[in-house]
Each structure stands twice: as structure tokens, then as C-alpha cells.
Amino acid sequence: MTATDPALTALAQGWCALSLLHDRIEGHLERALQAGHGLSAREYSLLDVLSRQHDGLGGHLQMKQVADAVALSQSATTRLVTRLEDRGLLSRYLCPTDRRGIYTNVSEAGLVLLARARPTHDAALHEALDEAARDARLEPLVRAVKALPAPAPAPA
């Protein structure tokens, strides 16, 4: 393949479109969540991921799993957890079966904030996708995102 190969050019254009869609959505979410709830999009995402933990097998996430779920490095995730813990939205505790493991739970205040922020997040997400769909470069990606199946519920 050369730099002028049409397949490479199409791939690069597709990647640029995907990056543009992500940036537009994240920016829209960031503004809505900051204005309405004093949360960044990353903070919301972290609270959301941690709120979905459960007591069953594999139900509590280790920091690496949390980092993967919110698409941050482990160190950035740890700093984010610390900020939210300082705000009283999260708490950490030692794993009962492995004293080296540390788990994080959303506090009651964090759950209340998340519940208040969820409608804002969802509305902003729909708005961002609807706006992006009006761009011919992004419309196929928006269609693909909207066609994704809903995730299976976590075991109880």
C-alpha cells in the first residue's frame, strides 16, 4: 500500500470521521453535564460504570477493569477516583478475599448525583447524535451507533 492507495485513504477518512464523531459527542456531553451537575463526562462515565457493579461472581471491578471501562490509563483512573472520593461520591475498600485488591463503590451521594445526571446525559447524547447525523460524513457512523444492541443486564 502506498500513501495514495484509495483503500488507505478511505480507511484514514473513516478514522477521521470516527474521531470527529467522538469529539463532538464528548464535547456536547461535557458541556451539558458540567452546566447541569458539575460533572465532567469522564466523572459521569466512572460513576456509571461503578454503579453497575454487583455482588455476584466478577461483580466488583478491579482498578484495571475500571480503567479499561472508562478508556483511561490506570494512573488517570486512580486520580479520577481520588477526586470523586474527595467529593464524597465514591469510597474505596479492601477486597475481602485478597487484601492487596482495592475496590471502589459509589456512595449514596454519588448514586443520587448519577440519578440526577443520567437524564441530562441521555438527552445530550441524543442531541449530539441527531446533530451529527445531519453531517453526511458522520451519518453512517451515527446509524451504526444507534443500531448497536443493548448490553445484557448484569447478573444479580
Side-chain angles (χ1 to χ4, degrees):
M1 285 188 148
T2 66
T4 57
D5 186 320
L8 181 61
T9 301
L11 183 62
Q13 288 174 346
W15 171 245
C16 287
L18 182 60
S19 181
L20 178 61
L21 178 62
H22 175 270
D23 289 349
R24 284 188 183 180
I25 291 170
E26 191 165 52
H28 200 84
L29 291 173
E30 189 76 29
R31 289 184 296 278
L33 289 167
Q34 278 291 347
H37 307 283
L39 280 174
S40 72
R42 295 284 184 183
E43 290 168 338
Y44 175 89
S45 180
L46 181 67
L47 289 171
D48 184 55
V49 165
L50 291 175
S51 75
R52 296 175 194 277
Q53 295 182 120
H54 56 86
D55 289 329
L57 183 63
H60 280 84
L61 303 173
Q62 296 176 344
M63 198 58 69
K64 177 167 181 4
Q65 294 169 302
V66 174
D68 289 345
V70 295
L72 290 173
S73 68
Q74 276 189 262
S75 61
T77 302
T78 299
R79 288 190 302 273
L80 185 57
V81 165
T82 298
R83 280 198 314 268
L84 292 178
E85 186 178 36
D86 290 347
R87 290 173 59 187
L89 302 175
L90 299 177
S91 62
R92 290 186 240 203
Y93 65 96
L94 292 175
C95 172
T97 58
D98 179 0
R99 306 279 299 163
R100 296 169 296 171
I102 297 175
Y103 290 131
T104 305
N105 272 340
V106 181
S107 69
E108 192 59 40
L111 291 172
V112 168
L113 180 58
L114 181 62
R116 289 182 181 151
R118 185 165 276 125
T120 302
H121 174 273
D122 294 350
L125 179 57
H126 284 288
E127 289 167 8
L129 286 169
D130 290 346
E131 183 179 305
R134 291 191 289 273
D135 184 326
R137 298 168 297 166
L138 303 180
E139 189 277 331
L141 293 171
V142 171
R143 206 171 350 104
V145 167
K146 288 183 174 185
L148 290 171

